[in-house]
Amino acid sequence: MKKKTLSKPLKTIYVFSSSTENQVPDESNVVLVNMAVFEKDGAVFLHEPSAQLKTLINGWQKDGKCVLVSLGGEAEPIQDWHHFYGKEFSEAFEAFTKNLSTLQNEYGFDGFDLDVEGQSVLTMDDAKKFAEFGTRLRNKFPDAIIALTVPADNALTPGAYWADFIGGMSAPHNLGWNVMTVIAHDKAEFDRIYDFVQIMAYDSPSDKRGDHTQGSAVWLAHVYRDFSQTCTYEFNKRIPQSGADDYNNSPGFSTSNLVLGVTADTANQGYATPSEIGQVQTELETLTKPESLKLGGGMIWRADSDKRNQDHAVSTALYALLK
C-alpha cells in the first residue's frame, strides 16, 4: 500500500463507527473513525460498526479525504497502552499489529490515530516505553498515516503531583517534567513516526492555563502556543526523578503538523463558541509576537454534534482560520 499524501492545512473531524449517514463537512480532509477497541492479548475490533460504515469510508476516500481509525481514549475495556510496552509484552504486540493490519485491510483505513489518555503515560519510564512503542508500530506500518492525539491538560501521576503533557500553566514552565518532551525527545524519530499531532483542547476542567477560562480564544491560543514553542523546563526540585534533566529541552512541534482540537458538543466541558474560535488566530498572533504563529490545523469532536450545532457552525469557524 502506497502511503497517502495528507492535504494541508489539516482539517480533521471525528465520526462514530456506528454512523449510518455522512455528516462530515465537505472541507474536512481527514476523517477519524471512533473507535477501535483493543484488549491486553492484542485483540482489536471496531466498536459497534454500522452496516453503512464501509460505504461511508469509500465515499470519503473518493472525495480525497484520508480516513484513519482511532484507538485508545476512554472506552471499555480500559484502553491501556501498557499492554504493548517492552519485550515482556512482545507476544501481545505482535498479535495487536496483526489484528490491526486485518482491520485496516477489511475497512480500507489509511492509517491510525493513537489517542493517549488515562493511565498509559504517567511516569517518565512510561513515556520512554511509549516512544519505543511508536517506533515499533511505525516499523510495522511504514506506509500508514499515524496521528498522535493527546489532552491539553495534565496527567496526575501516582506520586500525586502534576506532570504536564505539554507546556506549563505559566512561564517558566516549572510544574514538573513533561511526558511529551520525553516522547518527542528524538525529534527526527518522532517526526518519522507521527504524521501529525492533535491537541484535545476541551474536557480539561483543571486547566487554567495563563489564568484564562477554558474554551476562551485566549486559552486556546495559550494551549497551541505551548505545544508549538521550544522551551527549557526548570524542573521542580521537590520532584526528584533520576534522569529527568536529560529531558529539559522541549523541541516544540511544527505548526504544519499540529492540530488544535475543539468540541462541537455544547454540553462538553471547554466548549468554545464559534465566535470565540474565530478570535483564536488573532490571540495567537498577539501572544507570540514578534514570531506571530499561525494555526496549522483544526480538529472537530464530532461530526454529528457539529451538524446539530447550527449546521456545522463550529467547523466553519475553525476551518475559516486555516484558509
Side-chain angles (χ1 to χ4, degrees), residues 152-218:
D153 69 352
N154 304 323
L156 186 61
T157 72
Y161 59 84
W162 292 100
D164 292 346
F165 260 94
I166 190 72
M169 297 302 101
S170 59
H173 304 288
N174 61 350
L175 300 181
W177 67 270
N178 176 316
V179 299
M180 281 297 285
T181 299
V182 178
I183 292 170
H185 182 64
D186 185 339
K187 182 169 172 48
E189 178 64 0
F190 183 87
D191 290 342
R192 183 184 79 90
I193 298 167
Y194 299 108
D195 294 279
F196 60 96
V197 176
Q198 298 189 124
I199 316 163
M200 293 180 282
Y202 49 87
D203 286 342
S204 304
S206 64
D207 193 334
K208 301 296 183 184
R209 195 178 307 254
D211 294 324
H212 298 290
T213 303
Q214 182 188 180
S216 67
V218 67

Side-chain angles (χ1 to χ4, degrees), residues 260-279:
L260 180 69
V262 299
T263 178
D265 187 342
T266 58
N268 278 160
Q269 292 179 314
Y271 169 73
T273 64
S275 61
E276 284 293 327
I277 292 170
Q279 297 301 312

Side-chain angles (χ1 to χ4, degrees), residues 62-267:
K62 282 185 176 179
D63 288 341
K65 303 182 195 302
C66 176
V67 183
L68 309 182
V69 60
S70 184
L71 303 103
E74 296 182 0
E76 293 293 341
I78 300 298
Q79 300 295 278
D80 190 342
W81 294 102
H82 282 101
H83 298 323
F84 314 121
Y85 289 170
K87 293 181 179 179
E88 63 269 34
F89 297 112
S90 59
E91 186 174 332
F93 176 80
E94 290 299 324
F96 170 71
T97 54
K98 180 181 178 180
N99 291 324
L100 191 56
S101 179
T102 298
L103 184 68
Q104 181 184 23
N105 292 333
E106 180 181 355
Y107 284 87
F109 293 117
D110 298 301
F112 321 113
D113 166 41
L114 310 185
D115 185 348
V116 184
E117 302 179 56
Q119 304 297 309
S120 293
V121 185
L122 293 179
T123 68
M124 187 163 60
D125 188 55
D126 285 346
K128 290 178 181 179
K129 288 180 177 178
F130 186 84
E132 294 167 1
F133 165 78
T135 291
R136 295 167 67 206
L137 188 68
R138 170 54 76 194
N139 291 343
K140 286 283 188 180
F141 297 96
D143 296 322
I145 300 294
I146 303 180
L148 179 64
T149 300
V150 296
D153 69 352
N154 304 323
L156 186 61
T157 72
Y161 59 84
W162 292 100
D164 292 346
F165 260 94
I166 190 72
M169 297 302 101
S170 59
H173 304 288
N174 61 350
L175 300 181
W177 67 270
N178 176 316
V179 299
M180 281 297 285
T181 299
V182 178
I183 292 170
H185 182 64
D186 185 339
K187 182 169 172 48
E189 178 64 0
F190 183 87
D191 290 342
R192 183 184 79 90
I193 298 167
Y194 299 108
D195 294 279
F196 60 96
V197 176
Q198 298 189 124
I199 316 163
M200 293 180 282
Y202 49 87
D203 286 342
S204 304
S206 64
D207 193 334
K208 301 296 183 184
R209 195 178 307 254
D211 294 324
H212 298 290
T213 303
Q214 182 188 180
S216 67
V218 67
W219 183 87
L220 292 168
H222 272 81
V223 168
Y224 196 78
R225 186 279 309 270
D226 284 352
F227 270 80
S228 62
Q229 70 178 358
T230 59
C231 63
T232 298
Y233 290 83
E234 295 182 6
F235 290 104
N236 192 326
K237 301 303 181 184
R238 295 175 300 171
I239 308 172
Q241 295 206 16
S242 177
D245 288 346
D246 292 341
Y247 302 100
N248 270 352
N249 297 317
S250 173
F253 298 90
S254 170
T255 55
S256 66
N257 299 322
L258 185 60
V259 178
L260 180 69
V262 299
T263 178
D265 187 342
T266 58

Side-chain angles (χ1 to χ4, degrees), residues 49-63:
S50 70
Q52 295 83 7
L53 183 59
K54 291 180 181 179
T55 301
L56 289 170
I57 291 172
N58 186 55
W60 293 322
Q61 290 172 328
K62 282 185 176 179
D63 288 341

